[in-house]
Amino acid sequence: MREDVENLDITDVTANWVNAAVLQHQIDERIKALADLSHTPLFFGRLDYLHAPGADKAEGAAGERFYIGRRHVHDAEGDPMVIDWRAPVSQPFYRASKKDPMDVGLRRRFGYTSGDLTAYEDEHLSDPSEAAATSKLLQQEIERPRVGPMRDIVATIQPEQDEIVRAGLAGSVCVQGGPGTGKTAVGLHRVAYLLYAHRERLARTGTLVIGPNKSFLHYIEQVLPALGELEVKQATVDDLVAHVEVRGTDDATAAVVKGDARMAEVLRRAVRSHVTLPTEGVVVVRGSRRWRVPAYELETIVGELLDRDIRYGAAREALPQRIAHAVLVQMERSGEAPDDRVQDAVARNTAVKAAVKAIWPPVDPAKLVLRLLTDADFLAVHADGILDEDEQKEILWSKPVRSVKSAKWSPADAVLIDEATDLVQRTHSLGHVVLDEAQDLSPMQYRAVGRRCTTGSATVLGDLAQGTTPWATRSWDEALAHLGKGEAVIEELTAGFRVPTDVIAYASRLLPHIAPGLTPVASVRENPGFFEVRPTTVDEQVVDACEELLRNEGSVGLIAADARIPALTEALAAAGLTYLGPGEETTAQTRLTLVPASLAKGLEYDYVVLDEPQAVVDGEPDERTGLRRLYVALTRAVSGLTVTHAAPLPQQLA
């Protein structure tokens, strides 16, 4: 199929060089999408239908056989050999059961090792004499060692996951899922499904995956290309709001206030305060005639624009046209017959421009936010009744700043500038946005993401128990309201596929303290996993624990409090043990990654050594946030966990 595309001759089918360039780009993208992946099989399943799909079953139509794979594959004549996993005819591969066989006589799963077919397993779903059984191949695939970036789960999608993946484009979905429930994979496969089902629409409007940090995005970046989808952009929230260079930080209290949704109203007031009601009329000279629009009429025009509550910039662009229209009405009354060209000319008149500048001056969003953060009186006026005096003092900068460029903006400041920018000029909306690790966003960050999908839909993924910021989400209803998607359906995934039983049971001891009422994850893995709590006295013993786990197949993560990283770096170097940073791709030669606890979220390793749990807790501004960070660190292991500690363990783990 790839060679056919490579051999296409477009010489005689393009009218000009623009068409040729567009067509060549489409061909190049198609070639990329058809790249061979040596470790990835073209098909992983087979469905034998009792009757041809869509045929009248009463007529006894013969059944059909379909091979299911990551993408559509056809032969030289164009006949399908493998059906895309997203096609409707493939759905029973994920949903059919003994209770509801969906007209499937046989479901076959294929087992692969490095791309080679090594096993297969049959289920006769419509045979009452065959009992339902857990798929061994499915279990093996779930428990297969993880080396390298995140891989797709297209062969192992479970029924409850498939329902979310195939939900329609029109509605937004929020997925609450504990560690190892596959929520990130579900979100990525949902993007792939939506691109399949609504390709033309999303090609126009665009799709975006938003992750918590660059390490996480690097870890997941190969999943969609492996499914043949190359057009999906990835970004962090900081990338979205990068109107200024971020060089500063806020303390937790200031960041919470700046991230509060009330700041949106403070900014709205500040932007609208630039509008000044006119005190004088406008006189437009055209030839020998003078046309005067009186102040009271200008005031009516300005009032109408303010009442419409449209974007500040859009209203500013409309004002000269409204003034010009008032002049044209006078011209028509005097017997003239002006047209649109005359109205445009009047709108560009020097007197009209001067009036617009005085009434509705341009607003620079960054300068506006800078003034709010440095001018106590300006902030007090616009935050009156919204922020109390203490909150205003928290966000005011102690030192004066000369300009936008010299200011040391914090991440929270950049979000405020993004809000102000949207008040001036509407933010471009995409067709679909996937927001992962959403529990860590502030209300203002939710608003920033929501602006990117006002006319589209969203898939929100997260775990309330893993909220590790002082402003972490308290409830999904509240978060979705800030996002502008209050109608979104909230789904909960509770079956754990990644974390072993003993490990998730140990980590779940923290749930009553960090997320009361949340359903604990129930591991569906048959292998209970390796789990050990090991007292230590020196850092060399932590390195010893890493070396022991490296004797197993797969990746190893050494997770520690950020403050402990320098000491562990020295200990690893002294032992001659090479390691990677979070997000870097593991190889057969280097399988150990040193991970600061602050960057562990979303990552996974076959084996994990967790160093000094109490230090992880102490590294956060408050105990609850620290315990949540510890919960994240405890749940990164796929096959085994060793907890090392010289200091006493947190009492919540007792």
Side-chain angles (χ1 to χ4, degrees):
M1 288 170 66
R2 189 179 67 253
E3 287 171 358
D4 286 345
V5 180
E6 289 171 340
N7 292 330
L8 285 174
D9 184 359
I10 62 172
T11 310
D12 299 325
V13 296
T14 52
N16 53 52
W17 69 269
V18 176
N19 286 350
V22 170
L23 186 54
Q24 188 58 54
H25 173 73
Q26 292 173 339
I27 289 172
D28 292 342
E29 291 300 297
R30 177 67 173 155
I31 291 169
K32 286 182 191 174
L34 289 171
D36 280 327
L37 301 174
S38 59
H39 61 284
T40 303
L42 286 177
F43 63 92
F44 50 79
R46 190 182 106 188
L47 289 177
D48 290 4
Y49 278 86
L50 296 176
H51 308 86
D56 187 348
K57 296 175 185 177
E59 295 178 0
E64 276 193 72
R65 174 178 296 172
F66 298 97
Y67 285 87
I68 313 300
R70 282 167 175 74
R71 62 189 71 179
H72 173 86
V73 181
H74 60 248
D75 61 18
E77 282 71 44
D79 293 328
M81 299 177 69
V82 178
I83 305 298
D84 194 299
W85 67 276
R86 298 166 286 189
V89 78
S90 303
Q91 188 170 331
F93 185 78
Y94 303 107
R95 302 269 188 100
S97 65
K98 295 293 288 186
K99 288 183 179 178
D100 181 14
M102 300 176 72
D103 200 43
V104 172
L106 179 141
R107 173 169 56 198
R108 175 170 289 179
R109 300 182 191 275
F110 294 97
Y112 287 87
T113 303
S114 300
D116 294 329
L117 178 63
T118 53
Y120 68 88
E121 183 181 74
D122 288 347
E123 295 172 88
H124 298 87
L125 297 175
S126 299
D127 183 355
S129 65
E130 184 178 293
T134 304
S135 168
K136 297 292 184 185
L137 284 181
L138 200 63
Q139 199 70 37
Q140 289 170 12
E141 175 63 21
I142 290 170
E143 298 182 5
R144 182 158 58 93
R146 286 154 165 76
V147 175
M150 181 180 179
R151 58 177 184 256
D152 64 73
I153 61 163
V154 66
T156 61
I157 295 172
Q158 298 299 290
E160 66 272 19
Q161 296 173 326
D162 190 63
E163 286 184 25
I164 298 168
V165 167
R166 295 177 192 265
L169 176 61
S172 294
V173 179
C174 175
V175 183
Q176 159 63 41
T181 54
K183 56 186 178 295
T184 297
V186 165
L188 295 174
H189 287 68
R190 175 159 164 71
V191 171
Y193 172 77
L194 292 175
L195 285 167
Y196 175 87
H198 308 278
R199 190 167 300 281
E200 287 189 12
R201 178 176 171 184
L202 290 177
R204 292 194 307 271
T205 56
T207 51
L208 175 68
V209 174
I210 302 172
N213 52 56
K214 296 291 186 185
S215 297
F216 177 83
L217 291 178
H218 182 71
Y219 177 62
I220 68 169
E221 67 184 357
Q222 295 303 318
V223 174
L224 288 167
L227 300 173
E229 301 299 344
L230 307 170
E231 297 298 318
V232 181
K233 293 182 173 60
Q234 297 183 353
T236 64
V237 174
D238 291 343
D239 293 332
L240 298 183
V241 300
H243 304 285
V244 292
E245 183 183 359
V246 173
R247 296 182 295 150
T249 56
D250 289 310
D251 62 38
T253 309
V256 168
V257 176
K258 289 179 180 179
D260 195 298
R262 293 175 296 162
M263 287 300 298
E265 178 59 22
V266 175
L267 289 165
R268 194 185 78 87
R269 288 182 182 181
V271 169
R272 288 169 68 96
S273 72
H274 288 76
V275 178
T276 305
L277 292 178
T279 55
E280 297 180 356
V282 176
V283 178
V284 176
V285 179
R286 282 187 61 80
S288 60
R289 302 290 302 269
R290 295 163 64 87
W291 308 96
R292 185 172 187 277
V293 182
Y296 73 85
E297 192 170 348
L298 288 177
E299 189 172 329
T300 300
I301 292 171
V302 171
E304 288 174 352
L305 288 172
L306 285 171
D307 289 343
R308 287 175 63 191
D309 203 24
I310 58 177
R311 295 296 192 281
Y312 184 92
R316 189 174 187 274
E317 290 173 3
L319 181 57
Q321 289 291 336
R322 296 291 297 274
I323 295 172
H325 178 73
V327 172
L328 258 67
V329 170
Q330 294 183 31
M331 289 180 175
E332 289 169 349
R333 285 174 182 163
S334 69
E336 294 189 22
D339 57 17
D340 289 347
R341 288 175 295 177
V342 174
Q343 179 166 329
D344 290 339
V346 172
R348 294 193 300 269
N349 182 275
T350 305
V352 173
K353 284 183 176 180
V356 170
K357 188 175 181 179
I359 297 168
W360 215 292
V363 169
D364 181 300
K367 287 181 180 177
L368 175 78
V369 173
L370 185 64
R371 187 178 176 191
L372 277 173
L373 297 178
T374 56
D375 185 336
D377 293 336
F378 187 67
L379 177 63
V381 168
H382 300 299
D384 182 42
I386 300 174
L387 303 179
D388 62 34
E389 288 186 16
D390 290 338
E391 289 173 321
Q392 291 177 37
K393 287 177 183 176
E394 280 293 341
I395 64 174
L396 276 169
W397 291 357
S398 56
K399 297 179 181 178
V401 178
R402 287 181 297 176
S403 68
V404 168
K405 286 189 175 180
S406 63
K408 288 190 176 180
W409 299 104
S410 71
D413 297 333
V415 178
L416 296 179
I417 294 171
D418 189 69
E419 179 85 27
T421 302
D422 184 70
L423 289 166
V424 174
Q425 188 171 4
R426 184 182 295 278
T427 304
H428 174 68
S429 175
L430 298 163
H432 193 76
V433 170
V434 174
L435 175 61
D436 204 355
E437 300 295 349
Q439 72 280 346
D440 274 340
L441 269 60
S442 69
M444 290 298 284
Q445 286 176 316
Y446 278 117
R447 291 176 61 87
V449 174
R451 286 191 283 278
R452 272 75 187 177
C453 55
T454 49
T455 58
S457 54
T459 299
V460 180
L461 313 164
D463 179 12
L464 296 177
Q466 295 186 60
T468 51
T469 55
W471 50 84
T473 301
R474 290 189 291 270
S475 78
W476 289 123
D477 286 333
E478 183 182 316
L480 292 167
H482 294 311
L483 193 69
K485 302 296 180 187
E487 79 293 345
V489 176
I490 300 175
E491 304 280 0
E492 188 170 10
L493 296 175
T494 57
F497 303 99
R498 172 169 54 80
V499 187
T501 305
D502 290 354
V503 175
I504 196 65
Y506 185 70
S508 294
R509 295 180 184 182
L510 298 176
L511 282 180
H513 308 281
I514 60 177
L518 208 61
T519 306
V521 172
S523 179
V524 299
R525 299 181 56 160
E526 293 180 351
N527 180 3
F530 169 80
F531 174 65
E532 179 189 15
V533 177
R534 181 184 298 185
T536 59
T537 53
V538 292
D539 291 341
E540 285 74 16
Q541 291 173 307
V542 179
V543 176
D544 290 342
C546 294
E547 290 179 324
E548 288 174 24
L549 293 179
L550 283 168
R551 293 172 195 149
N552 301 305
E553 185 184 2
S555 57
V556 176
L558 172 54
I559 303 177
D562 293 31
R564 287 274 296 146
I565 296 298
L568 292 173
T569 299
E570 288 185 16
L572 290 170
L577 211 54
T578 57
Y579 61 91
L580 303 165
E584 293 183 302
E585 192 170 321
T586 53
T587 64
Q589 291 73 36
T590 308
R591 296 182 288 119
L592 176 64
T593 305
L594 178 58
V595 188
S598 61
L599 296 180
K601 189 169 295 177
L603 304 179
E604 58 183 35
Y605 302 94
D606 286 295
Y607 295 90
V608 166
V609 175
L610 175 59
D611 171 73
E612 293 296 354
Q614 188 61 55
V616 174
V617 176
D618 294 341
E620 300 299 328
D622 60 86
E623 186 181 60
R624 190 172 97 149
T625 303
L627 289 172
R628 287 182 165 187
R629 181 77 70 189
L630 177 58
Y631 181 74
V632 171
L634 283 167
T635 53
R636 299 303 95 202
V638 176
S639 298
L641 170 68
T642 298
V643 178
T644 59
H645 67 102
L649 292 171
Q651 62 180 11
Q652 292 84 354
L653 285 176

